[in-house]
PDB file of all heavy atoms in Angstrom:
ATOM      1  N   ASP A  17     -60.788   6.854  50.724  1.00 87.00           N
ATOM      2  CA  ASP A  17     -60.588   5.680  51.650  1.00 87.00           C
ATOM      3  C   ASP A  17     -61.891   4.999  51.780  1.00 87.00           C
ATOM      4  O   ASP A  17     -62.841   5.373  52.454  1.00 87.00           O
ATOM      5  CB  ASP A  17     -60.145   6.195  52.960  1.00 87.00           C
ATOM      6  CG  ASP A  17     -59.771   5.079  53.850  1.00 87.00           C
ATOM      7  OD1 ASP A  17     -59.902   3.907  53.585  1.00 87.00           O
ATOM      8  OD2 ASP A  17     -59.151   5.378  55.060  1.00 87.00           O
ATOM      9  N   ARG A  18     -62.090   3.844  51.145  1.00 87.00           N
ATOM     10  CA  ARG A  18     -63.378   3.152  51.034  1.00 87.00           C
ATOM     11  C   ARG A  18     -63.183   1.651  51.274  1.00 87.00           C
ATOM     12  O   ARG A  18     -62.222   1.129  50.749  1.00 87.00           O
ATOM     13  CB  ARG A  18     -63.983   3.378  49.620  1.00 87.00           C
ATOM     14  CG  ARG A  18     -65.360   2.852  49.446  1.00 87.00           C
ATOM     15  CD  ARG A  18     -66.236   3.836  50.213  1.00 87.00           C
ATOM     16  NE  ARG A  18     -67.691   3.375  50.233  1.00 87.00           N
ATOM     17  CZ  ARG A  18     -68.710   3.822  49.734  1.00 87.00           C
ATOM     18  NH1 ARG A  18     -68.640   5.091  49.081  1.00 87.00           N
ATOM     19  NH2 ARG A  18     -69.855   3.287  49.804  1.00 87.00           N
ATOM     20  N   ARG A  19     -64.007   1.001  52.027  1.00 86.00           N
ATOM     21  CA  ARG A  19     -64.013  -0.395  52.236  1.00 86.00           C
ATOM     22  C   ARG A  19     -65.225  -1.187  51.642  1.00 86.00           C
ATOM     23  O   ARG A  19     -66.312  -0.493  51.620  1.00 86.00           O
ATOM     24  CB  ARG A  19     -64.032  -0.708  53.656  1.00 86.00           C
ATOM     25  CG  ARG A  19     -62.699  -0.261  54.404  1.00 86.00           C
ATOM     26  CD  ARG A  19     -62.843  -0.545  55.867  1.00 86.00           C
ATOM     27  NE  ARG A  19     -61.867   0.178  56.548  1.00 86.00           N
ATOM     28  CZ  ARG A  19     -60.734  -0.479  57.213  1.00 86.00           C
ATOM     29  NH1 ARG A  19     -60.709  -1.670  57.175  1.00 86.00           N
ATOM     30  NH2 ARG A  19     -59.871   0.310  57.766  1.00 86.00           N
ATOM     31  N   PHE A  20     -64.960  -2.288  50.986  1.00 86.00           N
ATOM     32  CA  PHE A  20     -66.049  -2.946  50.217  1.00 86.00           C
ATOM     33  C   PHE A  20     -66.080  -4.390  50.908  1.00 86.00           C
ATOM     34  O   PHE A  20     -65.044  -5.049  51.035  1.00 86.00           O
ATOM     35  CB  PHE A  20     -65.835  -2.962  48.807  1.00 86.00           C
ATOM     36  CG  PHE A  20     -65.698  -1.692  48.191  1.00 86.00           C
ATOM     37  CD1 PHE A  20     -64.577  -0.969  47.887  1.00 86.00           C
ATOM     38  CD2 PHE A  20     -66.898  -1.123  47.757  1.00 86.00           C
ATOM     39  CE1 PHE A  20     -64.556   0.219  47.418  1.00 86.00           C
ATOM     40  CE2 PHE A  20     -66.946   0.083  47.099  1.00 86.00           C
ATOM     41  CZ  PHE A  20     -65.649   0.748  46.935  1.00 86.00           C
ATOM     42  N   ARG A  21     -67.259  -4.919  51.144  1.00 87.00           N
ATOM     43  CA  ARG A  21     -67.362  -6.340  51.537  1.00 87.00           C
ATOM     44  C   ARG A  21     -67.928  -7.091  50.382  1.00 87.00           C
ATOM     45  O   ARG A  21     -68.967  -6.927  49.878  1.00 87.00           O
ATOM     46  CB  ARG A  21     -68.300  -6.448  52.756  1.00 87.00           C
ATOM     47  CG  ARG A  21     -68.386  -7.916  53.253  1.00 87.00           C
ATOM     48  CD  ARG A  21     -69.179  -7.862  54.601  1.00 87.00           C
ATOM     49  NE  ARG A  21     -68.549  -7.039  55.648  1.00 87.00           N
ATOM     50  CZ  ARG A  21     -67.541  -7.303  56.337  1.00 87.00           C
ATOM     51  NH1 ARG A  21     -66.883  -8.368  56.175  1.00 87.00           N
ATOM     52  NH2 ARG A  21     -67.129  -6.461  57.312  1.00 87.00           N
ATOM     53  N   ARG A  22     -67.117  -8.118  49.967  1.00 86.00           N
ATOM     54  CA  ARG A  22     -67.471  -9.080  48.827  1.00 86.00           C
ATOM     55  C   ARG A  22     -68.475  -9.963  49.305  1.00 86.00           C
ATOM     56  O   ARG A  22     -68.853 -10.181  50.515  1.00 86.00           O
ATOM     57  CB  ARG A  22     -66.258  -9.709  48.329  1.00 86.00           C
ATOM     58  CG  ARG A  22     -65.236  -8.827  47.721  1.00 86.00           C
ATOM     59  CD  ARG A  22     -64.169  -9.569  47.056  1.00 86.00           C
ATOM     60  NE  ARG A  22     -63.712 -10.863  47.638  1.00 86.00           N
ATOM     61  CZ  ARG A  22     -62.561 -11.445  47.417  1.00 86.00           C
ATOM     62  NH1 ARG A  22     -61.714 -10.978  46.689  1.00 86.00           N
ATOM     63  NH2 ARG A  22     -62.331 -12.560  47.994  1.00 86.00           N
ATOM     64  N   ALA A  23     -69.065 -10.706  48.324  1.00 86.00           N
ATOM     65  CA  ALA A  23     -70.169 -11.708  48.657  1.00 86.00           C
ATOM     66  C   ALA A  23     -69.547 -12.783  49.506  1.00 86.00           C
ATOM     67  O   ALA A  23     -70.364 -13.377  50.354  1.00 86.00           O
ATOM     68  CB  ALA A  23     -70.794 -12.179  47.412  1.00 86.00           C
ATOM     69  N   ASP A  24     -68.331 -13.152  49.375  1.00 88.00           N
ATOM     70  CA  ASP A  24     -67.845 -14.193  50.313  1.00 88.00           C
ATOM     71  C   ASP A  24     -67.325 -13.611  51.654  1.00 88.00           C
ATOM     72  O   ASP A  24     -66.741 -14.384  52.485  1.00 88.00           O
ATOM     73  CB  ASP A  24     -66.537 -14.875  49.530  1.00 88.00           C
ATOM     74  CG  ASP A  24     -65.400 -13.929  49.228  1.00 88.00           C
ATOM     75  OD1 ASP A  24     -65.600 -12.735  49.704  1.00 88.00           O
ATOM     76  OD2 ASP A  24     -64.416 -14.317  48.719  1.00 88.00           O
ATOM     77  N   GLY A  25     -67.521 -12.397  51.877  1.00 88.00           N
ATOM     78  CA  GLY A  25     -67.356 -11.824  53.280  1.00 88.00           C
ATOM     79  C   GLY A  25     -66.047 -11.111  53.435  1.00 88.00           C
ATOM     80  O   GLY A  25     -65.804 -10.467  54.389  1.00 88.00           O
ATOM     81  N   LYS A  26     -65.117 -11.386  52.508  1.00 87.00           N
ATOM     82  CA  LYS A  26     -63.734 -10.625  52.549  1.00 87.00           C
ATOM     83  C   LYS A  26     -63.946  -9.187  52.356  1.00 87.00           C
ATOM     84  O   LYS A  26     -64.867  -8.719  51.606  1.00 87.00           O
ATOM     85  CB  LYS A  26     -62.903 -11.235  51.536  1.00 87.00           C
ATOM     86  CG  LYS A  26     -62.197 -12.635  51.805  1.00 87.00           C
ATOM     87  CD  LYS A  26     -61.257 -13.049  50.706  1.00 87.00           C
ATOM     88  CE  LYS A  26     -59.978 -12.925  51.272  1.00 87.00           C
ATOM     89  NZ  LYS A  26     -58.920 -13.329  50.314  1.00 87.00           N
ATOM     90  N   VAL A  27     -63.116  -8.480  53.004  1.00 88.00           N
ATOM     91  CA  VAL A  27     -63.139  -7.008  52.928  1.00 88.00           C
ATOM     92  C   VAL A  27     -62.001  -6.501  52.046  1.00 88.00           C
ATOM     93  O   VAL A  27     -60.913  -6.902  52.145  1.00 88.00           O
ATOM     94  CB  VAL A  27     -63.069  -6.246  54.346  1.00 88.00           C
ATOM     95  CG1 VAL A  27     -62.959  -4.857  54.198  1.00 88.00           C
ATOM     96  CG2 VAL A  27     -64.273  -6.773  55.084  1.00 88.00           C
ATOM     97  N   GLU A  28     -62.277  -5.637  51.119  1.00 86.00           N
ATOM     98  CA  GLU A  28     -61.314  -5.049  50.258  1.00 86.00           C
ATOM     99  C   GLU A  28     -61.284  -3.493  50.601  1.00 86.00           C
ATOM    100  O   GLU A  28     -62.309  -2.903  50.768  1.00 86.00           O
ATOM    101  CB  GLU A  28     -61.616  -5.158  48.786  1.00 86.00           C
ATOM    102  CG  GLU A  28     -61.548  -6.578  48.253  1.00 86.00           C
ATOM    103  CD  GLU A  28     -61.939  -6.792  46.818  1.00 86.00           C
ATOM    104  OE1 GLU A  28     -62.561  -5.889  46.285  1.00 86.00           O
ATOM    105  OE2 GLU A  28     -61.651  -7.907  46.303  1.00 86.00           O
TER     106      GLU A  28
END
Side-chain angles (χ1 to χ4, degrees):
D17 189 356
R18 187 75 189 240
R19 292 172 194 254
F20 300 94
R21 185 171 304 277
R22 298 188 326 199
D24 63 2
K26 286 184 104 178
V27 175
E28 293 179 342

